[in-house]
Amino acid sequence: MCPSNTTVATIRKAHRAKRTEQERTRAHRLNGALDTLKEQTTSMPFNKCWKVTKSQLYRNMHTHWRKDCQTKGS
């Protein structure tokens, strides 16, 4: 017996809502991790209004880690 169109639509809607929530959770976690990196790698005081692109953040991280490795190696 085939499910009705209403049942299929309801199942699809629930599945889409679950996927949307999963993506929202993933994005929130990623943004939280990026905020933590900003706090730890920027030389300026962390300010929520201060915009940093991901490429700037990655460059700052690389510089920060390089300095940290040189300090530990010396």
Side-chain angles (χ1 to χ4, degrees):
M1 185 170 171
C2 295
S4 68
N5 287 339
T6 306
T7 304
V8 171
T10 304
I11 292 171
R12 286 182 179 168
K13 186 175 181 179
H15 189 118
R16 186 170 48 248
K18 181 180 177 181
R19 286 189 317 236
T20 301
E21 184 58 33
Q22 288 172 339
E23 176 60 20
R24 186 177 293 121
T25 301
R26 185 197 67 79
H28 283 282
R29 287 181 180 165
L30 178 61
N31 288 336
L34 288 172
D35 286 343
T36 301
L37 286 172
K38 285 179 193 177
E39 290 173 355
Q40 295 178 358
T41 61
T42 56
S43 57
M44 298 174 64
F46 182 67
N47 181 350
K48 286 273 187 189
C49 297
W50 183 54
K51 300 293 183 187
V52 177
T53 64
K54 287 180 184 177
S55 61
Q56 289 170 325
L57 179 59
Y58 295 144
R59 276 194 295 271
N60 286 345
M61 288 175 5
H62 183 264
T63 303
H64 176 77
W65 289 333
R66 178 177 267 175
K67 287 180 183 177
D68 191 43
C69 288
Q70 288 174 350
T71 304
K72 289 180 180 180
S74 297

